Amino acid sequence: MEQREDNLKDVISHAKEYGFVFPSSEIYDGLAAIYDYGQLGSELKNNLKTYWWKSMVQMHENIVGIDSAIFMHPTTWKASGHVDAFNDPLIDNKDSKKRYRADVLIEEHIEKIRQKTEKEVEKGKKKFGESFDEAQFRATNPNVLRNEEKIRSIEDRMRETLENNDLEGVRQLIVDLEIVCPVSGSKNWTEVRQFNLMFSTELGSVAGDASKIYLRPETAQGIFVNYLNVQKSGRMKIPFGIAQIGKAFRNEIVARQFIFRMREFEQMEMQFFVRPGEEMKWYEYWKETRRKWHGALGLGASKYRFHDHIKLAHYANAACDIEFDFPMGFKELEGIHSRTDFDLKQHEQYSGKKLQYFDPELNESYVPYVVETSVGLDRMFLSVLSASYQNEKLEDGTERVVLKLPAPLAPYKVAVLPLTKKDGLPEKAREIIDGLKFDFLCQYDEKDSIGKRYRRQDAIGTPFSVTVDHQTLEDNTVTVRDRDTMEQERISLDDLHTLLARRTSMTTLLKQLK
Ligand code: GAP
């Protein structure tokens, strides 16, 4: 765990040093859980958005994208249930004065039991070697079975107490599990209280409840209120989807872990409108489609796992998370939710407007059901950055820090480096960039030795570095260095564009989704 925390610290300082992420308003000592993306961070973020947007909107005939406002009519949030139910159960430790989410404390306790099981399995593997049958071991080992039973009973109690808003019951569970505060080590807990996560402000100059509006806590409601506008203006036929990328705001109480939990963040959400009764089929479809989308990035299948929700949100009849193995362990990256017809029905009721679909095949009207995929852009950013960050020991005994970013996501696709600052080499390098810059973001660098320049490109994840030397002037060839293998090959300048397109374009990534 310690090593993982160090890894997070390294990623945070690397992100700052190279212009990926800065603490917001840093000259005023920053603002908790708010961050700014720097010159390279914005590029990486834009590339992530493009990957998501194209995979949804460009690759699906029946999905369109919108961009709705952050401020919405306040009744939206009454109808959606956020005013009454978008709460976190909070508990304070009286000794450390630290505040925690009660459900997260319990989930972390469950995770510790899971880790004990994994240790048992590891022991079994070592003991039995080749002949080890993992499935049978998990099904029969008494310690594993005891742990599973413990987890089941904790999850049952947690679900029951949270669903019934039994806050005393939640506290009792924490007490019974003997959970201690990670800071003070004591079990001296306050009662559990609900805390609404929405930020509010006033519209216009009149203060008071009448003009109170909220900063949206999810982008999804902007899609629901526009469902009919899009369906009619786009002549959309069910099943169809509406996608959106945009800012969301939550007054997170326990905001830690860098850009994992922020108060201002970005979501990439897609609501897929389906026939009632067909939602589970589409739920499974989107689970698989989204798994593939993440998998195509090549960060490693073992970095992802599905986690079914213990407590379903007020709008869902099935829900799961795609979790990622962040430096802090496995945590939620994306949510996939079968939201039923809850949201559209609520908006029908609160607005008095019909939000139905006439299905010509069935010859009937209904309120569509919705399957949602919702991924945090900032969490995607952290997943890609932390998995790509590597401190490599090289054969010659030196070390290098390299960001092995998936090439289509890398901020710069290529660096063009004149070997020396004279003899017409800088001019030739700039001429090469002039030919490439319509399709690729290129960097020019002539300072320091070529070795140092390669290291700088490694540190920012540039997949290819092109060196221009005297031979280039004679035969129009350059050396191309691969970031990951550090191998160099000499190629004709005529082939450079094709090589970069093949290895770094978004198309290459999107083609893997077929
Ligand atoms: N519309 C459904 C919805 O908002 P959610 O599970 O609350 O569901 C979806 O959020 C995704 O948004 C999460 O999986 C996560 O990636 C991201 N997210 C949520 N809260 C966040 C926060 N405070 N900071 C960064 N990302 C967050």
Side-chain angles (χ1 to χ4, degrees):
M1 203 62 194
E2 221 166 75
Q3 198 190 344
R4 281 169 163 268
E5 275 161 19
D6 283 350
N7 177 253
L8 182 62
K9 278 191 202 143
D10 289 346
V11 170
I12 296 172
S13 65
H14 191 83
K16 180 159 180 243
E17 187 180 348
Y18 287 93
F20 284 89
V21 183
F22 306 125
S24 174
S25 6
E26 199 190 2
I27 56 168
Y28 295 105
D29 295 334
L31 194 58
I34 317 273
Y35 289 89
D36 295 339
Y37 287 84
Q39 64 280 16
L40 295 190
S42 326
E43 292 294 339
L44 173 53
K45 210 173 164 196
N46 281 341
N47 292 338
L48 280 164
K49 285 191 209 180
T50 305
Y51 178 40
W52 186 87
W53 189 267
K54 289 198 169 189
S55 76
M56 286 290 179
V57 177
Q58 194 164 310
M59 309 233 338
H60 289 93
E61 246 178 58
N62 59 351
I63 299 181
V64 290
I66 65 164
D67 183 13
S68 70
I70 285 169
F71 290 130
M72 301 182 66
H73 193 285
T75 311
T76 310
W77 305 110
K78 192 74 195 152
S80 67
H82 284 80
V83 171
D84 297 320
F86 195 52
N87 301 320
D88 272 350
L90 298 181
I91 190 165
D92 292 28
N93 182 267
K94 290 182 192 164
D95 298 318
S96 67
K97 310 271 184 271
K98 288 274 174 204
R99 184 162 286 177
Y100 299 92
R101 265 177 59 178
D103 54 334
V104 171
L105 281 180
I106 299 168
E107 269 168 6
E108 283 175 355
H109 183 84
I110 293 175
E111 186 56 32
K112 280 188 192 145
I113 304 176
R114 269 205 192 98
Q115 280 167 11
K116 279 188 193 158
T117 297
E118 293 314 309
K119 273 198 187 137
E120 286 292 334
V121 174
E122 282 307 312
K123 268 202 282 179
K125 265 188 200 155
K126 273 199 191 127
K127 191 169 162 195
F128 298 108
E130 290 281 286
S131 61
F132 183 62
D133 180 342
E134 187 174 328
Q136 197 194 345
F137 185 84
R138 285 183 189 274
T140 55
N141 178 278
N143 290 341
V144 172
L145 293 179
R146 208 172 309 118
N147 286 345
E148 269 189 11
E149 183 43 43
K150 262 192 212 162
I151 291 175
R152 228 187 333 268
S153 100
I154 298 171
E155 285 183 345
D156 284 348
R157 265 181 82 182
M158 180 159 132
R159 187 182 313 110
E160 201 183 308
T161 49
L162 286 173
E163 274 174 7
N164 296 328
N165 203 18
D166 170 11
L167 300 182
E168 185 42 43
V170 177
R171 181 179 187 278
Q172 196 54 48
L173 182 54
I174 289 174
V175 171
D176 292 349
L177 295 174
E178 301 189 356
I179 293 177
V180 297
C181 165
V183 176
S184 68
S186 89
K187 297 178 212 159
N188 199 3
W189 297 109
T190 61
E191 75 280 19
V192 176
R193 281 168 298 123
Q194 293 286 21
F195 181 89
N196 193 286
L197 295 180
M198 281 197 294
F199 282 104
S200 64
T201 184
E202 267 113 35
L203 191 68
S205 56
V206 198
D209 258 8
S211 58
K212 185 171 176 181
I213 57 166
Y214 297 99
L215 276 78
R216 65 180 178 198
E218 61 170 11
T219 58
Q221 296 304 324
I223 293 179
F224 287 122
V225 298
N226 278 299
Y227 152 74
L228 209 55
N229 281 338
V230 174
Q231 191 272 319
K232 288 212 177 312
S233 59
R235 293 176 293 115
M236 307 302 289
K237 300 235 167 352
I238 273 182
F240 74 91
I242 305 178
Q244 166 157 241
I245 299 177
K247 290 264 184 177
F249 303 82
R250 294 183 191 178
N251 197 0
E252 299 281 1
I253 296 310
V254 188
R256 287 194 209 112
Q257 297 167 330
F258 193 37
I259 54 172
F260 179 80
R261 198 175 297 289
M262 300 157 92
R263 297 199 165 108
E264 173 179 342
F265 56 101
E266 242 170 305
Q267 291 184 314
M268 306 193 282
E269 299 201 294
M270 195 277 301
Q271 316 296 130
F272 202 66
F273 299 89
V274 305
R275 260 186 204 161
E278 293 192 352
E279 69 275 15
M280 288 322 284
K281 178 181 92 182
W282 288 110
Y283 175 67
E284 292 304 327
Y285 169 87
W286 281 107
K287 271 173 80 171
E288 180 53 17
T289 305
R290 297 301 301 150
R291 193 191 58 73
K292 269 197 198 148
W293 184 87
H294 288 285
L297 290 174
L299 304 177
S302 64
K303 289 249 169 215
Y304 303 87
R305 74 180 187 198
F306 278 105
H307 171 74
D308 288 322
H309 282 198
I310 299 173
K311 178 191 179 252
L312 289 177
H314 56 274
Y315 49 73
N317 71 354
C320 69
D321 295 334
I322 298 179
E323 293 186 338
F324 184 80
D325 192 6
F326 287 101
M328 316 78 79
F330 272 100
K331 300 238 178 260
E332 175 183 347
L333 172 62
E334 167 154 5
I336 299 169
H337 313 123
S338 171
R339 288 180 82 129
T340 68
D341 55 359
F342 175 84
D343 302 85
L344 288 181
K345 277 229 166 108
Q346 287 291 103
H347 288 306
E348 272 200 330
Q349 193 190 323
Y350 278 79
S351 68
K353 310 265 165 35
K354 274 211 173 322
L355 296 175
Q356 301 203 343
Y357 173 78
F358 176 74
D359 192 324
E361 280 174 37
L362 299 181
N363 200 25
E364 66 178 64
S365 293
Y366 51 77
V367 176
Y369 270 47
V370 172
V371 175
E372 157 184 81
T373 72
S374 172
V375 60
L377 177 53
D378 312 273
R379 288 194 190 172
M380 268 313 293
F381 188 102
L382 183 58
S383 71
V384 168
L385 195 68
S386 60
S388 304
Y389 177 89
Q390 290 177 24
N391 209 327
E392 274 187 357
K393 276 213 157 43
L394 304 178
E395 275 171 14
D396 63 4
T398 59
E399 282 186 19
R400 69 162 182 163
V401 170
V402 54
L403 278 189
K404 292 192 170 172
L405 294 171
L409 300 184
Y412 288 105
K413 301 296 183 259
V414 61
V416 184
L417 319 170
L419 191 62
T420 65
K421 285 189 214 171
K422 46 186 200 287
D423 303 334
L425 299 185
E427 290 75 11
K428 183 69 185 169
R430 293 215 185 270
E431 188 190 309
I432 295 171
I433 290 180
D434 280 343
L436 295 174
K437 70 183 177 193
F438 302 98
D439 298 308
F440 309 103
L441 190 62
C442 312
Q443 190 168 64
Y444 175 84
D445 190 4
E446 60 175 26
K447 198 169 173 288
D448 298 323
S449 70
I450 201 77
K452 273 195 183 157
R453 283 183 265 169
Y454 284 156
R455 288 288 175 279
R456 276 204 289 272
Q457 295 307 324
D458 289 344
I460 62 172
T462 310
F464 294 101
S465 293
V466 165
T467 306
V468 178
D469 55 21
H470 293 90
Q471 195 182 327
T472 311
L473 303 180
E474 284 161 24
D475 64 4
N476 214 35
T477 61
V478 283
T479 51
V480 178
R481 174 185 179 269
D482 182 302
R483 174 197 68 196
D484 298 345
T485 62
M486 293 191 290
E487 272 168 17
Q488 302 186 20
E489 60 168 334
R490 193 139 202 124
I491 68 163
S492 162
L493 269 176
D494 298 338
D495 300 329
L496 183 59
H497 191 286
T498 312
L499 176 126
L500 291 176
R502 186 163 43 84
R503 302 282 297 278
T504 72
S505 76
M506 198 58 79
T507 312
T508 328
L509 197 51
L510 291 168
K511 277 192 174 161
Q512 290 184 51
L513 303 179
K514 277 191 165 174

